[in-house]
Amino acid sequence: MTLVALARRRAGGKIEAAMTTEIRANTVLPARREPVTLHTADGLNLIGELSLPEGEPKATLVLLHPLPTHGGMMDSHLYRKAAWRLPALADVAVLRFNTRGTASEAGRSDGEFDNGDGERFDVAAALEYAEFHDLPNVWLVGWSFGTDLALVHGCDPLVRGLFLISPPLRWSKPEHLKTWADSGKPVFCLVPEHDDNLQPDEARERFSAIPQAKVIPVAGGKHLLVGYAEEALDQLVAAILPDVPTPLPRTWDGPSTTHQVTIVS
């Protein structure tokens, strides 16, 4: 099977020619993609996907999505772009999934939204999957609601570090920040300049409870970082794999596909 045919079978969508192509919002670059089911300790099945580079991954991202009651899911724009681009551009494995009760094009996870409490089992199930499948150099990546899940439930021995996107610090308490401070693990906080929840100056003050935390402002950005996906992914890769050159390429030489995600309410 040709690489183009393989890419089509894995990602679906319209085939682009194997030539220099501008990486756009719906561009899907080659990867080994497979649907996964995560099994929680309280008996739920969670819908997910693992995207692996063609070679051995240098790192693994476990993605925790924004608030599902406000449209957050594994297909939220930064996360689908991470899964579609980073395996090819940075040799990164990407594990994304729907937390309990959350639906996306891939399907609906069992259970119901539990305000960040029962979701502790969801975080644990994702980390157990990564450990069982020997995925290397695991980083937790949280976005909005997902940052609270990561801070409250994610300080696991398997986790190498933490990358937070638009953290609201809504459910996270001082004791959770202290846990990460005591761990000594690296913590990066990508904070939009015009975020309605937490802006860079306040973020620096509140994250001072974690001495090793680094606040990275996004000039002009708002909470959902619409229009700032490339900058967010550049900062993410630079933090976890500083040897990988950034900015990441904006074009791709080789086969690719395009895919229009169906948004599921």
Side-chain angles (χ1 to χ4, degrees):
M1 181 179 291
T2 67
L3 285 176
V4 172
L6 186 60
R8 182 171 191 171
R9 187 182 72 178
R10 287 172 178 159
K14 177 184 175 183
I15 290 294
E16 302 291 347
M19 60 179 67
T20 299
T21 304
E22 182 181 357
I23 299 172
R24 299 178 179 272
N26 293 330
T27 302
V28 183
L29 302 182
R32 295 177 286 144
R33 295 187 174 89
E34 58 183 282
V36 301
T37 301
L38 308 181
H39 306 286
T40 70
D42 61 339
L44 302 183
N45 294 322
L46 309 180
I47 296 294
E49 180 196 73
L50 177 63
S51 299
L52 293 164
E54 295 292 346
E56 291 300 314
K58 297 177 180 177
T60 303
L61 306 179
V62 176
L63 307 184
L64 305 176
H65 61 68
L67 195 63
T69 55
H70 289 66
M73 57 178 165
M74 62 182 276
D75 278 338
S76 293
H77 80 99
L78 284 181
Y79 281 4
R80 67 176 181 260
K81 290 168 186 172
W84 290 353
R85 300 179 190 179
L86 296 187
L89 297 180
D91 291 326
V92 170
V94 179
L95 177 61
R96 57 187 177 130
F97 67 99
N98 290 324
T99 57
R100 56 190 55 212
T102 303
S104 72
E105 184 178 74
R108 181 180 298 275
S109 292
D110 293 348
E112 297 179 354
F113 174 68
D114 196 31
N115 291 292
D117 184 14
E119 284 81 2
R120 68 187 184 275
F121 297 118
D122 305 353
V123 177
L127 295 179
E128 287 168 3
Y129 181 94
E131 183 174 25
F132 182 80
H133 289 83
D134 295 321
L135 297 176
N137 191 17
V138 174
W139 283 73
L140 264 186
V141 181
W143 179 12
S144 191
F145 170 68
T147 66
D148 281 308
L149 294 186
L151 286 165
V152 174
H153 304 305
C155 198
D156 184 272
L158 181 69
V159 174
R160 170 72 177 81
L162 191 58
F163 193 93
L164 307 176
I165 303 170
S166 303
L169 290 177
R170 181 178 177 184
W171 282 279
S172 305
K173 306 299 182 186
E175 58 265 29
H176 304 127
L177 302 184
K178 185 177 186 303
T179 296
W180 283 95
D182 292 346
S183 77
K185 296 180 180 185
V187 176
F188 297 90
C189 311
L190 192 68
V191 182
E193 179 184 11
H194 302 302
D195 197 311
D196 293 334
N197 298 287
L198 189 70
Q199 296 181 359
D201 286 345
E202 184 183 359
R204 291 186 186 94
E205 179 181 349
R206 295 188 66 182
F207 279 104
S208 66
I210 306 176
Q212 71 272 25
K214 179 181 179 181
V215 173
I216 306 167
V218 180
K222 296 183 179 181
H223 185 70
L224 293 180
L225 289 170
V226 174
Y228 292 84
E230 285 73 19
E231 180 174 350
L233 296 182
D234 287 343
Q235 294 288 0
L236 172 56
V237 171
I240 67 167
L241 290 173
D243 292 339
V244 173
T246 52
L248 296 169
R250 304 305 194 234
T251 61
W252 175 254
D253 293 323
S256 65
T257 68
T258 59
H259 182 69
Q260 181 65 51
V261 166
T262 299
I263 301 301
V264 178
S265 60

